[in-house]
Amino acid sequence: MPRPLVCSSLVCQVMKTLIRELLLPLIAVAAAFVIGGVIVLAIGDSPVKVYRLLISSAFGLFDALGNFTFDNWGYTLFQTTPLIFTGLAVALAFKCGLLNIGAEGQLYVGAFAAAWVGITFAAFPGVVLIPMAMLAAMLAGAVWGAVPGLLKARFGSHEVINTIMMNFIAVGLVSYLTQNFYKAPGDPIMQTVPIASQSHIARFGSLLNPLGVNFPQRIPLNISFLLALVAAFLVWVFLWRTKWGYEIRAVGSNPSAAEYGGISVRKQIVLAMALSGALAGMVGVNEVLGYRYRYYHDFSPGYGFAGIAVALLGRSHPAGVVLAALLFGALNRGGLFVDIFTDKVSKDLVQVLQAIIILFVAMEMLFRGQLTRFFPALAKKNAL
Amino acid sequence: MRNIFNYTLIASTIRLSTPLILAALGGLYSERAGVINIALEGMMLAGAFTAAVVTVFTHNPWIGLLSAVAAGLLVAALHAMATIKYRADQVVSGTAINILFLGVPALLSGALFESTGATPQLPRDQTLPDAPIFNPQTSPALASIFNQKPLVYLAFILVAMTVYVIYRTRFGLRLRAVGENPEAADTAGVGVNRMRYAGVLISGALAALGGAYLSIGQNSLFTRNMTAGRGFIALAALIFGKWHPVGAMLACLFFGLAEAVAIRMQGTVNIPNQFIQMIPYILTMVVLAGLIGRATPPKALGVAYAKE
């Protein structure tokens, strides 16, 4: 039994925290990649080739001809954006002791609301229209999140079941509205008419080209990415630097103690779910105002559920969420290339990896027992 | 309206309810033992996919069906190990399994059949046959209602069996005990975790049967995400039926009827299809909130048990 290191200096404390917070997620990711490699091998392809393809197409700075390209990072960050929002959404709810499985529904109503504003108020100037559309996306998501929150606060019904149910209701409702009121006549695709052009938000191309940086306009990476980073910072400020955030965390760590200390548990539950929903709704800003310029039905490949993986892996800390979102965003980007450039492995490998990572992070006891022998810092129990 | 409400509506209600009943019964065994099972969807997908693949290779749907059960048990073992042994959050583990089985069938069918998530079409005689009880020529109505897949009959028999098992056997008593009050059950000498493993495993087998019914019974191939949320509707039915086998069955029949009506109404009547499809979800929320009779989950549902 190694003796625990005596650790009092700031550097040492920081190291200890980093080991505690980063080691388990990293091991979970590594373990998932090993299993993914075995699956690739079983399918009959080379894991080395697949992983090299994943990494180079997600982060590579040069294309096949050796020319510098923004494509890989541009698309990776574009894929990262919605995952930061849903990861933050799930993380914020976690902090209040709630599991928001409903980010998927919340982002659909958010996206539709953004499109609705962009279509309905087409006469408004951009400076009014864009903030309005963003607010609408957040508001719709917030309402969709607040309902399960209210039901829990008022009737004690479990938010997991209600958020699942609301996912299906959201998809049904939005598909009904699209099909019957906002689709161009004769359009065979389930999508609304386009939003007003002044409601488009800037892509990185139009931001960087005037500065002489040749960032291609076709890459849909847009201001939403920066908004996502701002949102991460604001969530951190809110949770750790404000009274409300403190109360939400107090409810999350011990509801009865919080109630005893004069915090209204019910109010915090509704607040946390509404804010969570608003964050998920912001996915609509990226999708509608920054990418497709219309609501396109069924656009989400499960961003809301991936948000659970992101929040878990990021240990519900905004900085962790951003890093985890980058990982999954990179996987989503790289997965397309795996699909194209291998014979047998499809992009679905990414989904499998994601699921295995969630399982491993959730089963941290699996690793913790072994690790605490070597890193006593881990012995301190810290769930979600 | 005549085209919507006739005897074929009864037949298709039964057909559409069957996978829901099987999965809901599965959910019941797990949740009565105290383990939340939102992984029903993933377990159904695993069963549906395995049944289709094995039938493609063996040309025998019965072997396909048995393999589906084996696959369901395997997936359930994963959920059980994660949540019981390693005390992972039950909802998180369930979500992971659902995501896993959106990915795995697509990945494997790509490798096996070079498709994007579907298995090859099976010839009609290699899918589960209908029970030839009535002659379709002489009595078409009775034949359309009663000449169903054996799994349909099995589903209803299992409802009766589950009532007996849960309320009349020692196994059922213990299962309910570990779901309501694991400490007391433990004190009385019941192996809490063993009972929970049993509940989750049964759950996987039944949900997989429901999935197999979709791929090699009702249809003749597996398609990407072919359950389309039926695992969640089954979960909704379980809650709507207040965690009772007969209640769950009635809820499944009702949801099956809603689906059957929705299918028939497409493009004919002026009530939007989407609203009929929402019925199960809205009702579940209403019942959970206690607005029409309260649905009370097993007391220890969702809480991992650690022996002192």
Side-chain angles (χ1 to χ4, degrees), chain A residues 155 162 173 175 179 348 366, chain B residues 86 106 111 274 278 285 289 294:
Chain A
F155 303 106
N162 281 329
L173 183 68
S175 114
Q179 188 184 338
D348 306 290
L366 180 68
Chain B
Y86 295 108
Q274 286 100 337
M278 282 181 205
M285 293 179 67
R294 189 155 189 92

Side-chain angles (χ1 to χ4, degrees), chain A residues 135-158:
Chain A
L135 268 178
M138 286 196 278
L139 201 65
V143 167
W144 222 251
V147 170
L150 275 168
L151 288 172
K152 176 154 187 143
R154 176 74 182 75
F155 303 106
S157 46
H158 204 305

Side-chain angles (χ1 to χ4, degrees), chain B residues 3 21 25 42 48 88 115 121 132 182 212 240 279 291:
Chain B
N3 296 332
I21 293 174
L25 285 180
S115 75
Q121 183 102 32
F240 193 48
I279 291 172
L291 299 181

Side-chain angles (χ1 to χ4, degrees), chain B residues 108-182:
Chain B
L108 293 184
S109 64
L112 289 170
F113 311 114
E114 298 189 355
S115 75
T116 55
T119 61
Q121 183 102 32
L122 293 162
R124 201 80 210 126
D125 63 339
Q126 285 178 26
T127 60
L128 295 172
D130 288 322
I133 298 176
F134 290 97
N135 184 342
Q137 255 79 54
T138 54
S139 42
L142 288 173
S144 116
I145 294 172
F146 289 101
N147 290 9
Q148 303 271 10
K149 310 287 173 199
L151 275 182
V152 173
Y153 286 93
L154 181 66
F156 289 95
I157 294 169
L158 280 169
V159 172
M161 268 178 64
T162 302
V163 172
Y164 178 78
V165 168
I166 294 285
Y167 297 100
R168 289 279 179 275
T169 65
R170 213 163 69 157
F171 174 83
L173 179 67
R174 290 178 166 184
L175 197 77
R176 283 182 290 139
V178 302
E180 292 289 338
N181 193 338

Side-chain angles (χ1 to χ4, degrees), chain B residues 224-245:
Chain B
R224 184 185 274 264
N225 193 20
M226 90 177 300
T227 50
R230 284 188 180 81
F232 293 112
I233 298 189
L235 188 69
L238 178 62
I239 297 164
F240 193 48
K242 301 180 182 176
W243 286 272
H244 189 285

Side-chain angles (χ1 to χ4, degrees), chain A residues 200-219:
Chain A
H200 299 185
I201 57 175
R203 294 189 171 189
F204 270 43
S206 31
L207 291 176
L208 294 173
N209 292 353
L211 304 174
V213 181
N214 192 18
F215 194 96
Q217 183 66 25
R218 69 185 146 78
I219 298 179

Side-chain angles (χ1 to χ4, degrees), chain B residues 13-54:
Chain B
T13 298
I14 295 172
R15 267 200 300 278
L16 292 166
S17 307
T18 297
L20 299 179
I21 293 174
L22 288 167
L25 285 180
L28 188 139
Y29 281 95
S30 168
E31 302 222 331
R32 273 304 180 102
V35 181
I36 298 175
N37 196 348
I38 67 164
L40 287 174
E41 180 84 358
M43 292 170 174
M44 287 181 89
L45 281 170
F49 179 68
T50 310
V53 170
V54 172

